[in-house]
Amino acid sequence: MSKGQVTGVEDFDWAGLGKHDEVYTAEQRAEMEIAYGESVSSIAQHEVIEGTIVLKTKRELVINIGYKSEGVISISEFRYNPDLAQGDTVEVYVENPEDRTGQLVLSHQKARALTAWNKVNEALENAEIIKGFVKCRTKGGLIVDVFGIEAFLPGSQIDVKPIRDYDIYVGKTMEFKVVKINQEFKNVVVSHKALIEAELELQKKEIISKLEKGQILEGTVKNVTSYGVFIDLGGVDGLIHITDLSWGRINHPEEIVTLDQKLNVVILDFDDDKKRIALGLKQLEAHPWDSLDEGLKVGDKVKGKVVVLADYGAFIEIAPGVEGLIHVSEMSWSQHLRSAQDFLSVGDELDAEILTLDREDRKMSLGIKQLVEDPWAKVVAKYSVDSKHKATVRNFTNFGIFVELEEGIDGLIHISDLSWNKKIKHPSEFATLGQEMEVVVLEIDADNRKLSLGHKQLEENPWDVFETVFTEGSTHEATIVSKQDKGFIINTNEYGVEAFIPKNHSVKEDGSIIAIDEKLPFMIIEFNKDAKKIIASHTKTFKEEVEGEKKSASTASKGKTKSAVKNLNSSQEKSTLGDLDALAKLKQDMEKAGK
């Protein structure tokens, strides 16, 4: 052995190093180590195992997993199941069997996360009912903690009836069914409504099997729309159409019912599968027409309110559910056409007279013009022939103007009675709608409610004067106002009367033709008072004979000669001397005329 080298002792007892007064033999110690090892579980880090709650406080739970020490988990990890108690078994995740302080570190949340996905898929596959904790509200629904996974609960899947306040569910533990899983994005959708529907489906089948027309049931107002009300009959929905809510007219169902209101309804109809059920509310009350006063008769006056307006008339409600129609023709004695809106408005309260009453068909016609005196009753005294009045233009026709003397009294001014001297093609050239004009009564037909009126008769007939002024051969200054196919129209500057100039009388002295707006002298060659026609000539003011007239005169002379000869030949063969003298004189006159 070299100097300084140390050799070991082969049988040195390392286990007994530092120990004094050892009371166990080696055999006894070996037995105790085996027993202790059997009493303590062998665990591995990151393992999910079951543990038992041995203590529960306000802040934490103490969990025994059979290890040499217990683990502590915050109670916040068990919010989804606040009913946990001492002795319950839970799953835990071993984060660390022993930290630096010797403490066992466990997590329930991580344990749930590792096993939750498998559980969620199993729940969907097996249609299992699971529990979840509603954590918070989000857009369109709620966030639910299910097995440690955040799942989405849509608002439409909370309950079978519409939910207006989602916040009342936050912080509650509820039962759900998994309805959809997105494997790629790990999204889970749950439903509480599905559980309710399953229960209601059983109730629904039972209710539907007992449905009968005319049956009265109690229901709850589930939804109100503009066209009707949906009623929950205990798992089965029915609709009360707006027309079946009340015998009277309503604008919106909200006037009759409110959400969640309980009321009795009657079954009116349903389809073969009983999926669409028509309900009624007004049918539970007697029809208002059945309770209408038996003494009410034609000619009676009633009070009512305008509920509907149309162009042809107005519907008047004299009692809830009892209406009468006032046709527009029964609103005024006036004859010209108007719409009901010109007389009434919705909501107006008025008095009316019953014109017809049919209780069997539940129809009634009313009138309001009958409450005032018929103006035609005194028309003869008030609008006597030749009396003058002011009237308003109401309508035009090709043959004249209809005017209104007062409400209900209309008359016609024929186109020929509008003006003495103006040639009017259409009455609208003479007046405008709404214009006030003076008229004179020409004729009255009270039985047929007709008045014949005139406007030109307010003045003397100027043609009586024109007859003395525009004598044939007289010359007057006039202005050419228009051109026509066969000549020109002129207007005499002094009297404003129009005359016609034939083409062959429109040649000026220099050979040119007269033109519009020229002022020239004209000679009257024909005046017809009855036809109100004046024919004049400019050419004759400087030329005695006008081309075209010679031919006419010669032709006329020849005609007269032939006629005379014919008459002469047809006379008796034997004539007296006096007869012969008369014939000779006639022949001389005709020859002069021919020249």
Side-chain angles (χ1 to χ4, degrees), residues 219-222 229-233 236-240 263 265 279:
T220 305
V221 178
K222 183 178 180 180
V229 180
F230 286 94
I231 304 295
D232 182 1
L233 301 174
V236 180
D237 289 349
L239 173 67
I240 307 176
L263 42 79
V265 293
L279 305 174

Side-chain angles (χ1 to χ4, degrees), residues 237-239 269-278:
D237 289 349
L239 173 67
D269 200 2
F270 47 75
D271 58 13
D272 294 338
D273 298 329
K274 297 184 180 178
K275 291 181 179 179
R276 293 184 179 180
I277 304 172

Side-chain angles (χ1 to χ4, degrees), residues 265-473:
V265 293
V266 60
I267 297 176
L268 302 180
D269 200 2
F270 47 75
D271 58 13
D272 294 338
D273 298 329
K274 297 184 180 178
K275 291 181 179 179
R276 293 184 179 180
I277 304 172
L279 305 174
L281 182 65
K282 71 180 184 182
Q283 288 78 4
L284 296 176
E285 301 176 355
H287 197 290
W289 272 88
D290 296 335
S291 55
L292 192 64
D293 184 3
E294 289 292 337
L296 209 60
K297 62 185 182 302
V298 172
D300 287 350
K301 293 180 177 61
V302 293
K303 290 183 178 291
K305 182 173 70 173
V306 179
V307 290
V308 174
L309 268 181
D311 288 339
Y312 59 84
F315 287 92
I316 312 299
E317 187 179 59
I318 64 170
V322 179
E323 295 178 4
L325 172 65
I326 303 179
H327 193 270
V328 67
S329 62
E330 302 300 339
M331 293 182 181
S332 169
W333 292 108
S334 177
Q335 298 297 310
H336 61 271
L337 296 176
R338 280 188 280 183
S339 65
Q341 287 85 347
D342 295 329
F343 300 96
L344 302 171
S345 301
V346 173
D348 286 352
E349 295 186 356
L350 47 80
D351 293 328
E353 182 177 314
I354 299 176
L355 304 181
T356 63
L357 180 61
D358 188 340
R359 293 178 181 272
E360 186 175 342
D361 290 338
R362 293 170 177 170
K363 290 181 180 180
M364 180 189 305
S365 63
L366 307 172
I368 55 176
K369 75 179 184 182
Q370 289 77 9
L371 302 180
V372 296
E373 186 180 14
D374 184 355
W376 280 90
K378 297 181 179 179
V379 70
V380 175
K382 191 172 183 180
Y383 300 101
S384 58
V385 174
D386 294 332
S387 62
K388 298 176 182 179
H389 308 274
K390 286 187 177 181
T392 304
V393 177
R394 292 301 185 191
N395 193 22
F396 295 118
T397 67
N398 292 330
F399 53 83
I401 300 176
F402 282 98
V403 296
E404 185 180 54
L405 295 165
E406 65 172 83
E407 183 76 20
I409 301 293
D410 293 346
L412 172 66
I413 307 174
H414 194 272
I415 190 171
S416 62
D417 292 316
L418 289 173
S419 175
W420 287 112
N421 54 2
K422 285 186 180 180
K423 292 183 178 180
I424 302 169
K425 293 181 179 179
H426 193 276
S428 59
E429 300 173 6
F430 189 82
T432 58
L433 289 176
Q435 176 185 337
E436 188 176 74
M437 61 188 299
E438 285 192 281
V439 296
V440 60
V441 179
L442 303 180
E443 187 180 345
I444 301 174
D445 184 354
D447 294 336
N448 294 310
R449 293 176 178 262
K450 290 182 180 180
L451 274 182
S452 178
L453 307 173
H455 178 70
K456 72 180 184 181
Q457 288 81 2
L458 294 168
E459 302 174 352
E460 290 185 9
N461 187 352
W463 286 88
D464 294 337
V465 178
F466 296 159
E467 186 177 23
T468 62
V469 174
F470 299 104
T471 58
E472 293 183 7

Side-chain angles (χ1 to χ4, degrees), residues 224 249-257:
V224 180
R249 290 182 186 262
I250 59 174
N251 296 317
H252 197 279
E254 290 176 347
E255 299 175 20
I256 304 294
V257 300

Side-chain angles (χ1 to χ4, degrees), residues 509-564:
E509 193 169 2
D510 60 2
S512 62
I513 303 298
I514 62 176
I516 294 175
D517 293 334
E518 279 191 303
K519 292 182 179 179
L520 299 168
F522 294 90
M523 179 184 290
I524 306 301
I525 58 176
E526 183 181 342
F527 181 89
N528 189 326
K529 176 183 175 182
D530 296 331
K532 297 181 179 61
K533 181 174 70 172
I534 302 175
I535 298 177
S537 170
H538 172 66
T539 307
K540 277 207 170 190
T541 60
F542 60 85
K543 190 175 182 181
E544 184 177 350
E545 293 182 354
V546 177
E547 187 178 352
E549 286 193 332
K550 289 180 181 179
K551 186 177 181 182
S552 299
S554 175
T555 303
S557 177
K558 290 179 181 178
K560 289 180 181 178
T561 303
K562 288 181 179 179
S563 178

